[in-house]
Each structure stands twice: as C-alpha cells, then as structure tokens.
Amino acid sequence: MNTIGEIARRAGVSRSTVSYVLSGKRPVAEETRRRIQAVIDETGYRPNASARALREGRTHTVGLVIPPAGDRLTGTQLGFVAAVVEAAARADLDVLLSPSGGDHERSFTRIVDGRRVDGAILMEVRLDDDRVTRLQQSGLPFVTIGRTAQPTGTAWVDVDYQELISRCVGHLADLGHRHVALVNRSAHLVAAGYGPARRALAGFTAALTERGLTGVDVCCGDDPAAGEACVENLLATDPAVTAIATVNEAALPGIRRALDAAGLVVPRDFAVTGVAARQPAEDFRPPLTAADVPVEEMGTQAVALLRERIATPAAPPGHRLYRPPISLRSSTGPAARRFS
C-alpha cells in the first residue's frame, strides 16, 4: 500500500512537504508540488480519511447521539437511527454512533470535544438538557430530534406530543368515553424531564379539562412486560376506565395481553389509541388508531438541517414540528358497547 513516506521517497522530498501538498496548509513551490502530484498520479495513491479531513477541514462524518447502549431501543428510536444513516449515506456522509448517559459520558465528550465529526444529531432530548448546553458552548453544529423547553436558537425536529395526545383524548371523548387513562413512559423519564413524556402529560391533562372527562395517568417502562403489569394494575385499581391513550409503543404488546387476560375485547369493550410509529401501530391487534410518527421523514429532515448548520453556521437555525393526523384503524369504538 502506498504511503506518504513512499510518496516522499519517490519525489525526493520530506514527508511534511507531501503533507503540505495534500492538506494545503502551507505553500509549496510549484515545481515541487507538480513532482509530488506526478508521483501520486503514477502510484494511484489515495489519501485516507484523516488526510482528507486535514485537507478539507471536514471529516465527512456526523455523530448520532443515541440512548445508552444497555437500553433497549424502541421501534421509533431504531427508526430514527435507520433514517439518519440512510439520509447521511445519500449525502456521502458517514455516521458515528455514540451512546450518551450513564457510563457513556466519555463517548459524548469525544463527540463534542474531539472534532471527530462535522456535526451531531442528538436524540432523546429532555426539557432541560445539559448536553444541548454543552453542544452550544462547543460551537459544533448540531440538530436535536426533540426539543428543550426553550429551543430558540437551536435546530430541531420534533413531534407535537402535547397536541397529538390532546387529539387522541378528544377522539375518545367523541366516542363517548368519559373515564380514560394515559399510559406514559417510565417514571424515570418523566422525572428527568423527557420532552415527549412531559408534553404528553400536559396535553392529556388539558384535554380532560376541555372535554369534561375524568382520567388517570400512569408511568410505564418501555417493554411489553411493563405494559402488561401497568394495565393489569390500572384495571384493578380503576375499573371505570374504558380507554387508554399512550405514547409508549414498546409497551403495546403487553397492553394487549393484559386486556386479553381481563376478557376485554378491543374495541367492543375497551379502546386503545395513542402516538406511535406506523409499524408498531399496524402490528397491534386490532391495528391501532394512532397519530403515526413520521420517523423516516424526521430523520431525513434532521440530516438536512445539520448539513445546513455545517455549511452556513451563521444562518438562523431551522426547525420543524410535526402534527400528523390520527390514522383511524380498528382499536377504538364507542364506550357504550362495554356497558350495554
């Protein structure tokens, strides 16, 4: 394999002179530059990624900051990863995955301070997120999937969980449901100020007041077993509940099992709706009436916004808030059927 050392030997110059030609960092006499270029052309030498980055001041790599590696990613989270990777590939960019949180802060620090990437996309954003503050202070271009409580001055894409859960509750109210439950994300995420969980709760509470309903909100871990236990307990402690709205798509299979075990037929006896990626919604039985999170579009838009931030960092940061319509499937029906 040809190396800078071999190029230097054949051209009769020092390694540093070859590096200067490749990087353009210092002027090199035209005759010397031509001699080095002739050797490069003759040998077919291609500088590696590090040399390319040195020459262009770019790594052609973006960082994607994901939840801790030990956590099981939800379908939506995996969808964001896939969408970002595919969109980056179309733009001839590599993606460096970096877990954040728990024991992985050093990985995030390397993304921020190591200049191994041209920019970063940050997932799973909290309302008050010190990672966003660190990225702002670093000067590294970045985009968030999700947004802080005060997102002015940052680039982001997000789903309007507050509005969408409010619509879900309104849909249930229109069907005659008077006592409904919100199955939220985990208590840990709610306490940590995780944006979707907090905004979903705000939307649920506001919709109850607006529609004159009674309701209960419960936290639930992001897995089927937690969903099953959560709904079993909900039915035991609050049997008046006739419908659930949820933002916890990972819990959906367990929610289904708990309703089956209680002998409740969906939607005849019990209604389920919420905000979820399309695939988990369609996999629910019967298919879930839901606001489908446009995962692919959001991941693609996040990459587009990041490319804009990298190319023109002084331009106002862009953002987009998604409010997809509720896709009416088969998991919701009139409340009267349960008690007729």
Side-chain angles (χ1 to χ4, degrees), residues 141-163:
F142 72 96
V143 173
T144 61
I145 298 178
R147 68 197 192 281
T148 62
Q150 301 294 331
T152 303
T154 62
W156 51 267
V157 296
D158 200 5
V159 172
D160 193 344
Y161 283 94
Q162 182 168 337
E163 171 65 19

Side-chain angles (χ1 to χ4, degrees), residues 268-314:
R268 187 194 69 193
D269 305 321
F270 203 95
V272 185
T273 185
V275 183
R278 178 173 299 170
Q279 194 61 55
E282 292 180 344
D283 288 344
F284 193 73
R285 289 295 174 265
L288 185 72
T289 291
D292 299 337
V293 177
V295 174
E296 183 175 346
E297 183 179 350
M298 291 177 66
T300 300
Q301 182 68 13
V303 173
L305 289 174
L306 182 59
R307 293 178 66 195
E308 292 176 5
R309 300 301 297 153
I310 293 169
T312 55

Side-chain angles (χ1 to χ4, degrees), residues 161-167 169 182 198-208:
Y161 283 94
Q162 182 168 337
E163 171 65 19
L164 294 181
I165 281 296
S166 180
R167 289 183 191 174
V169 173
L182 171 68
R198 287 287 189 89
R199 292 187 173 104
L201 179 57
F204 179 73
T205 303
L208 293 181

Side-chain angles (χ1 to χ4, degrees), residues 20-257:
Y20 296 150
V21 170
L22 293 172
S23 67
K25 293 293 185 181
R26 292 188 183 182
V28 175
E30 181 62 20
E31 181 181 348
T32 302
R33 189 196 67 77
R34 289 178 179 175
R35 188 164 72 250
I36 293 171
Q37 188 61 53
V39 174
I40 290 173
D41 294 341
E42 177 186 347
T43 60
Y45 173 77
R46 294 292 181 271
N48 60 25
S50 297
R52 183 185 180 194
L54 181 64
R55 181 177 71 252
E56 299 179 0
R58 293 273 304 278
T59 66
H60 294 271
T61 301
V62 297
L64 178 59
V65 183
I66 61 176
D71 291 354
R72 177 183 299 176
L73 297 184
T74 67
T76 294
Q77 291 167 342
L78 288 172
F80 282 139
V81 172
V84 167
V85 169
E86 290 176 7
R90 290 194 295 269
D92 195 27
L93 297 171
D94 295 326
V95 177
L96 176 63
L97 295 181
S98 173
S100 173
D103 298 327
H104 301 284
E105 286 310 305
R106 285 182 296 178
S107 177
F108 178 67
T109 297
R110 286 193 292 269
I111 285 285
V112 175
D113 300 332
R115 295 297 172 179
R116 302 165 66 186
V117 298
D118 298 325
I121 296 174
L122 178 65
M123 292 173 53
E124 301 300 287
V125 175
R126 298 184 290 273
L127 296 180
D128 182 13
D129 201 315
D130 59 1
R131 299 171 303 169
V132 173
T133 302
R134 288 181 62 189
L135 283 165
Q136 289 175 309
Q137 294 172 344
S138 75
L140 182 72
F142 72 96
V143 173
T144 61
I145 298 178
R147 68 197 192 281
T148 62
Q150 301 294 331
T152 303
T154 62
W156 51 267
V157 296
D158 200 5
V159 172
D160 193 344
Y161 283 94
Q162 182 168 337
E163 171 65 19
L164 294 181
I165 281 296
S166 180
R167 289 183 191 174
C168 288
V169 173
H171 171 64
L172 294 173
D174 289 341
L175 291 170
H177 294 274
R178 310 305 301 167
H179 196 70
V180 300
L182 171 68
V183 176
N184 208 331
R185 302 290 292 276
S186 71
H188 169 73
L189 286 176
V190 173
Y194 177 57
R198 287 287 189 89
R199 292 187 173 104
L201 179 57
F204 179 73
T205 303
L208 293 181
T209 300
E210 179 182 349
R211 300 304 295 263
L213 308 182
T214 57
V216 58
D217 61 274
V218 293
C219 294
C220 180
D222 291 340
D223 60 82
E228 186 172 9
C230 174
V231 173
E232 285 178 351
N233 184 67
L234 175 66
L235 295 174
T237 59
D238 207 336
V241 169
T242 62
I244 283 172
T246 185
V247 291
N248 194 329
E249 68 178 34
L252 283 171
I255 292 173
R256 170 78 260 191
R257 289 200 298 264

